Amino acid sequence: MSQPHLPLFGILASLDAAERNAAATTLIKALAVLQNSHQSDLDPLAQDITEERLDQLCHPDVAYALKRLIRGLPSDREAARQGFSLALTELLIGLNFLTAKIVLELLLRFTEIKNFMKGKEERNHMFGRIFGFMSIIQSGLLTRPRTTEEDIKLIVDDLVEYSQEKSYLSECCHQVLVTMLPQIVNHPKSIKYIADKIFTEGVNTPDQLSVALTLRDHLDVINKQLPAEEQINWTKSLGKSWKNPVVLHPSNLKFLGLLLKEASTEEGSQASSSWSQNLHPVWDRILAHYFNAPAPVPQIAPFNDFWNVVIDSTLFDSSSSHERKYWGFQIFEKVLPVLDENQLPLVFTTNFMRCFVNNLSSEDRFLNKAAKHTMTAMHTKASANEAVRLTLITQLLDKNPNFDRVSRSKTVETLLGGLDVSHIQHYLQYLTKAFLQQDGPDFNSAERGKRVDISRQWSIDQMFSLFRNPKVPREEGWIKSILEFFLVHGFYDIKKADPKSKYSEAHVLPSPALSTATHEYCRGRFYSMMAELSTMGPLAIKNDHDEAETVNYSRKLNGTMLDGTFWCSFALNMMMDLQKNKNFGGLITLGDDAAKAQKTALALVTKIQEKSKKASKELKAQYKAFELLFVQMILQLYIEPEDSINILGELHDCYDKVFVSSSKAVNGKKASTAMEVEGGSEEEIQPVEVIVDILLSFLIKPSALLRHVSEQVFVIFCDKMTKTALELMLSTLKTKDNKDDMFGEEDDENEGEDQGEDDEDEDAEADAHNQSDDDNEDEESSEEDSESMDVDEDIDDDAPVDEEFRKKLAAVLNVQDDDDDEDDDNESDEELLDDDQMMAFDEKLNEIFKQKKLAKAQQRDAKQTLIHFKNKVLDLLELYIKKQSSNELVLELIVPLLSLVLVPSASNKPVHDKISALLRNKLAKIKDYPRECDDEHVFEILAQVHELAKKSPDAKFSGLCGDLSLLLVKVLIGGQDDKTAVGEVKVVEPVKRTRGSSKAKAAAMGPEEAALKTKQDRVVALYSSSLKEFMTRKNSNLSGKMFLEFIDRFPHLAWHLSDTLLEYTSPKAAIKSFRQTMAFTMLSALVKRLGNKKTPEFEPLFLETLPLIRKSLIETFEDALVVESAEGKSAGSKGLNVARLREILKFAVLSARMVKRTEDLKVTEIWDTDKLGPLLQKISEDARFNSGALRSLIQQMLALIGSEIKLPTGSVKKQEKQEKRKRALESQANGGSKKKAHRSKKRKVSSGSAKGEPVSTTEA
């Protein structure tokens, strides 16, 4: 064969189907060209084609290709069989003169199984021959005229033999027969031979059934070609197990199910152990009778019967294996796409749903992935048709009402999210029908009533979950339907059915009647839905101008409809309308006081609604807020009448105070609010304070509805807040539960203890400094600290004795409390009790301990309620900070909240954590800060914050104080740090400034600049005072992070702290080396910040401070080189470690680089290089400061100050090795070898050791 075509045979074995197909196409086209160009004198029809005649009839390359393709069929290399059989089929189609006989001869010769072959080779030859048979059949060779009965029998005999010998070949062999049958219809005797060969014992396997169904399609044509005595008897071929000649007849379904399950079909026989994960091809032929048949097939069983018997009762039976259930899931996925919404219920049968839910419920289930795949198929089906989606939902819920919960999935929830509005209404009708019609077996009244209540509660929950589902498209129509359903069945009893009623709930009476528990459940869901609606904004904005305006102002208050009406007002109007309808009987009767309060409030609500239509935009929002409060309280009358009556009275008084009557308005002006009226008695309670008090009373109650109402109303009135109203809210956070003793809390016994020695203090402060560098680390450490503060609530060994509990025990035990009696216990006789007395004694003890346990539980619940209440108050404060960040009253929150955080308490830890988060993440980060404030008062707050910072229990609190201090400084100077001049303080040495120069400069400024300068000076003075305490007080609780953040945010203003920082860089002034290092670190941050901002007047000022910087550095380095005394204490004031010395050197290098920028300065004179250089060299040689990073910084400093000193590279150990190697080379150069020198040294050492003299291993 030609060389270019040979590589194509290798590509035919590729695992890539596209490559195989391309190679086969190229090869066949090339062979076709060659064959067309070949000329032969032989007539292919003259006689039978032998191999010799084949070579003459075909082009040599074509003959070679034919034989090689047949020879390659037994190969198991990659996908050789698929590729070679494909090319062979196409080649046989092109060679139309070939006969089946010659191809079969070649195939049998190249796939002959010999005795010496191993099992693998034998299996490969079998597969090769089967693939060859398939190529012959698919190429149409059997349909050619010269095909004989013997050729067909040869194929059939081999296929039947292989299927019987090797069970794994049975399916593919029978599939070859199924493919062959339609092509040999003109050979009826061959088909008769096949039937006799295969159906000797009837149809008992899926493979035989597949052949039988194909044979049945052509049976009439075949029998017409055979004599009567030789015709195929279909009933006999099926066997005795089949009760009807129609395979899918209802009487055959049970046997068909066992056959397709591949289970035992005869008593005493065993099922085949072979199993394949893929469905048998016969399933496609069976299902085609139901879904792809051109015309209805007579006498076959309906599809629902077929599914119930063959699939549900067989494959999904509880006794079926996992493998058969897996087949069932595959069949379900085959059927699902072709079913319409009317046929879907047929496949959601009992056994299938049980198996489906069980395997979805846990990932450990054997068929969990198969069930998930089936669920994905359901979603795919639902996405194509909304009606199918609704049917799927109803079927899943019918078979298992709690499908999502039991299966631990969100199948129903997801399906609901795809419904459109019209199908949501249909779904609600389905739920309503399930709620009303509860007919079933009547076991006994109690059991049936309980079952009905549970079923109806499920319907109610489904409606509520539909409303809460965020994926469901919301529309007012169906939301009103659910709200109306809950309201009617929660508050009213329908007397008789009225199909003409405008309320659909009255069209059909519930059967049986609703129980009290169901009414209460509907009522609870009504209030829960009102809570959800109160937070929901308008769903859309209409084009109408009036309605759009209504929505705009009502958007401040969520819970409004499209027309601006509150959902609660809509519900109240419906309730009032139902009270007038005689067909609805009220379930709750209000008392006289409640009814009177309701009547008064309803009249006032009507009045408010009328006034709000004519009011201005600002007043309209306040009217709507009062409307919301009154309506919600009227609804609360039905569940909490006493509290609601009192609150309604307070609201009425508050309303009268807020809105001044128009009749009292002067000169016909519009009504104004009392909040806007100036003057009046300062001691008079303001209306907003009453409103705040009412809102706080709402928060005490565990009601989500009242909480949402409180937040909405608070947002409306937060701009009217007064200092007293804020103090009222803050006072609730200071409330103590006085129950800490029952949790066994103890006072901190270590408060007055010292913090340890100086070195330990320094390490602790260094840790605190490092801790404060990262906010995340602060939070983690704070959590660990707070966890360590937690006290086990069950441990109360040291708690004070409950005297009342003690008296009760003493009364039961008949024990006196006198101490004398306790001493005489051993002398008294023991009084014995009989059984009855012991039983009574036990009952009394049990009752006492039960009461004690109940009291502790109540105390614990009360404490938890108080914590929740405080959290709700903090939520209101967060809303205030968000909405009124520019109000100066926001600053009034700083000190009270900081004071609460300062006092640690394990019982109030959640509240303290929330306060800290509120201060750090909300208040300290407000962008629209107050700009018009009383400066003196802000300074007082700033001073108080610094005082609280001095009491910081940890670095986290100190950092919080620092953040709030930055906010206050920003409020004072307006964030205008760039306007702060850095040149007003010229530090030549640390001396105090005179007042005269400052006044002269201030006099030259304008009034605004002078005022700003005064505020800046006061801020600097306050930070300077705190900085001095941090530097001088040994046990200061301040953190360096507080000053570093100030430097980073206000570098110009912080430069005025440079003289204080320079003072404490000296080792003589600093109390600890850590504080000295922090002074250098702060100076470094300050120089970097100002250097990066390129402030023009900064550079000369910095150069003037260089003498002080140089002096501090020299003193620090000299102090660091002081050798420790014999007592182990440093002879100097303080000692430095490597880390702190590295920070100091970083500042020194930074300062030297700043000097390097100025070319006209003499560096050696400025830095006193002759003195500073040797000091740096000594530090690098000191073993205490052995660090490569430290020596690198020293080398940089030496280069920057113009020193010629060069430090040796590498670590100290490396330098010692280099020195040792140098001495060895010197000794070798003097005449002795390295080995002799080593020996002499060794002898010297050994002789010295023998004499008992100490031996030194190092040299100077």
Side-chain angles (χ1 to χ4, degrees), residues 226-244:
L226 292 173
E229 64 277 4
E230 296 182 4
Q231 290 182 354
I232 300 174
N233 188 338
W234 175 247
T235 303
K236 183 179 179 181
S237 298
L238 285 177
K240 298 179 181 179
S241 300
W242 297 86
K243 298 180 180 180
N244 193 286

Side-chain angles (χ1 to χ4, degrees), residues 1220-1238 1240:
K1220 186 177 180 180
R1221 190 180 299 110
K1222 183 178 179 182
R1223 288 197 302 269
L1225 292 174
E1226 289 177 355
S1227 62
Q1228 186 178 2
N1230 292 333
S1233 65
K1234 183 176 180 181
K1235 187 174 181 180
K1236 291 181 179 180
H1238 177 70
S1240 62

Side-chain angles (χ1 to χ4, degrees), residues 130 158-159 162-163 169-178:
I130 294 172
D158 281 355
L159 291 175
Y162 291 165
S163 65
L169 294 177
S170 177
E171 181 179 333
C172 62
C173 289
H174 284 83
Q175 282 303 111
V176 174
L177 290 174
V178 169

Side-chain angles (χ1 to χ4, degrees), residues 43-49 53 97 146:
D43 183 9
L45 301 178
Q47 54 184 338
D48 293 339
I49 300 176
R53 289 176 58 83
F97 56 85
R146 301 178 68 181

